[in-house]
Amino acid sequence: MIQEILIVDGYNIIGSWPELQRLKEIRLEEARDRLIETMAEYQSFSGMKVIVVFDAYYVPGLGGKYLQSKLPVYYTKEKETADELIERLVTVHIGRRKQVYVATSDMTEQHVIFGKGAFRIPASELLVKVRQVRQEIRRTIDTEASPKRNSFDSRISGDIRDQLEKWRRGN
């Protein structure tokens, strides 16, 4: 069985998805949290391992790896770009029985990850996949939540149903 791994360029996706882009203008932390929540939901339903990477190039301090909503979230170190960390993660994860995808619309990054053996998913395509997963989740919930009809009428044969109907009408 092949393990599928999706590495998400966090700020690139936030800048590409209209909802997150609007949210970023109001509050960047909120956009980040929404992306993480969305990717955690996607990971749960799709079965792919998802890793989200945020660029901290201009932010002083140590980067790190955190587990948020059962999702590994990486923040780069000072003076390290998300692209550099993504390339390192691709190198670490690429291998037998593994298929690595990188979600980014950065063309330069796409060429580099191709060279390392990973596949790309443009931000717009990832948005389509996320929306499809949400629709499947809604359908599953609607199907399971709809009351199951368990009437007496559905459990008896046609002959008996006809006989009972005749008795009901007084025939």
Side-chain angles (χ1 to χ4, degrees):
M1 185 166 166
I2 294 176
Q3 180 187 22
E4 293 184 307
I5 301 165
L6 173 64
I7 302 171
V8 178
D9 185 345
Y11 289 131
N12 185 277
I13 299 299
I14 287 172
S16 300
W17 290 3
E19 176 194 345
L20 295 180
Q21 203 171 27
R22 286 190 299 275
L23 200 52
K24 178 183 89 169
E25 300 302 321
I26 300 166
R27 189 158 176 214
L28 180 61
E29 296 82 20
E30 185 82 23
R32 241 189 347 243
D33 290 344
R34 183 81 50 90
L35 176 63
I36 291 168
E37 182 181 301
T38 301
M39 290 294 95
E41 183 179 84
Y42 184 78
Q43 174 177 260
S44 295
F45 200 80
S46 72
M48 287 181 105
K49 177 182 178 181
V50 179
I51 300 169
V52 180
V53 177
F54 289 106
D55 197 326
Y57 187 77
Y58 298 107
V59 179
L62 299 173
K65 174 186 173 186
Y66 306 93
L67 201 61
Q68 192 171 335
S69 301
K70 296 184 181 180
L71 191 76
V73 178
Y74 287 83
Y75 293 90
T76 63
K77 298 178 217 159
E78 185 178 1
K79 299 195 180 189
E80 178 184 37
T81 66
D83 293 350
E84 291 168 339
L85 180 53
I86 289 169
E87 290 163 23
R88 211 167 54 247
L89 287 169
V90 167
T91 303
V92 166
H93 288 288
I94 207 90
R96 296 182 81 193
R97 300 179 199 249
K98 290 184 181 181
Q99 188 60 63
V100 179
Y101 299 87
V102 177
T104 184
S105 291
D106 180 335
M107 287 304 289
T108 306
E109 183 62 14
Q110 288 176 8
H111 291 299
V112 171
I113 58 115
F114 274 145
K116 293 188 174 285
F119 294 97
R120 73 177 176 94
I121 298 178
S124 58
E125 187 178 323
L126 182 60
L127 182 56
V128 168
K129 288 176 182 248
V130 164
R131 286 178 176 162
Q132 287 171 341
V133 162
R134 284 183 176 160
Q135 286 176 343
E136 286 183 48
I137 290 170
R138 271 191 225 108
R139 266 187 255 124
T140 302
I141 289 170
D142 289 346
T143 302
E144 290 176 4
S146 64
K148 305 263 188 282
R149 195 146 188 244
N150 192 11
S151 65
F152 176 72
D153 187 47
S154 67
R155 294 177 163 258
I156 59 173
S157 70
D159 293 340
I160 294 174
R161 190 179 309 115
D162 292 341
Q163 184 63 43
L164 289 172
E165 183 63 23
K166 285 179 188 175
W167 289 347
R168 189 180 72 82
R169 293 179 182 261
N171 296 339

